[in-house]
Amino acid sequence: TFLGQNSDNKFYTIPGIDYISHEDVLPYEQSESIRDPIQHNLFQKFLDKRTDPSGVTSYHSTNMLHQFHEDNFDCLRLRDVHSQTTNGVKITVYSFFMGCRSETPTKEHWWRYSILMENVGDITVQLRERTWCIFSNADNKESVTGKGVVGQEPVLAPGQCFQYSSLVSLRSSAGHMWGTYLFEREDRKFINVSIPPFLLVSKVNEPQV
């Protein structure tokens, strides 16, 4: 998700593209029963599949991928990663400043954040509820509570993970967020899992759209 460039004031989303840790996908082994495991319409445009004379297949980035990265570098650049493990669940947060929307009566600064939940314990858990505290440097504090995340209540067996992304806006150029997830274990006990605090900081040269 990112803000449009120049005079464009719309948000854009590209389903199926997000940040992940290299340790989650490398080394990568392709199953013999699945010829093309990654199903996405941009896969063949971004990566060129090549097979050498010995039959070894590899993927190489295309000019389209390099151009996409160059055009959207400010929105894609990863600055800080925050991780915390509580009660056997590890939460990792990535945040990105997207820009400032100045056509609204009150100037809005927008950020996108991605959260990776990983069950590093030995018992299956299911997310039930989220609670966020959002603080802006304009001395405004907001608390938000709701069921699950992005309309889901993911179940995580030991070793499994779930990642999602969302948006937040502030009327000031900086702030921070933190929160708590409520998980239910398979033995019907509830546990609180901390979402580590992370900064919401705008860049000096803000794109105004």
Side-chain angles (χ1 to χ4, degrees), residues 50-108:
R50 304 175 188 175
T51 303
D52 64 20
S54 63
V56 177
T57 299
S58 58
Y59 292 90
H60 300 261
S61 57
T62 64
N63 290 335
M64 182 177 179
L65 177 58
H66 289 293
Q67 188 63 50
F68 175 83
H69 185 271
E70 181 180 342
D71 292 343
N72 302 289
F73 180 75
D74 285 340
C75 298
L76 297 171
R77 180 170 46 181
L78 186 62
R79 291 175 175 79
D80 298 305
V81 179
H82 306 270
S83 294
Q84 185 172 344
T85 301
T86 313
N87 292 321
V89 180
K90 181 180 179 181
I91 304 297
T92 302
V93 185
Y94 316 81
S95 62
F96 313 84
F97 176 65
M98 297 196 307
C100 178
R101 304 187 72 170
S102 56
E103 82 282 0
T104 56
T106 303
K107 200 174 193 180
E108 293 181 347

Side-chain angles (χ1 to χ4, degrees), residues 157-182:
Q160 290 187 331
C161 59
F162 177 83
Q163 181 164 316
Y164 75 97
S165 298
S166 190
L167 305 173
V168 62
S169 66
L170 298 178
R171 294 181 179 179
S172 65
S173 60
H176 57 280
M177 294 175 59
W178 69 96
T180 304
Y181 290 123
L182 180 66

Side-chain angles (χ1 to χ4, degrees), residues 80 82 93 95-97 108-113 132-142 168-178 196-203 206:
D80 298 305
H82 306 270
V93 185
S95 62
F96 313 84
F97 176 65
E108 293 181 347
H109 299 77
W110 284 84
W111 289 264
R112 171 179 174 267
Y113 59 91
W132 280 107
C133 292
I134 306 169
F135 179 82
S136 75
N137 284 7
D139 294 329
N140 295 321
K141 182 180 178 181
E142 179 183 4
V168 62
S169 66
L170 298 178
R171 294 181 179 179
S172 65
S173 60
H176 57 280
M177 294 175 59
W178 69 96
F198 59 97
L199 295 175
L200 302 171
V201 180
S202 62
K203 292 174 293 188
E206 301 171 348

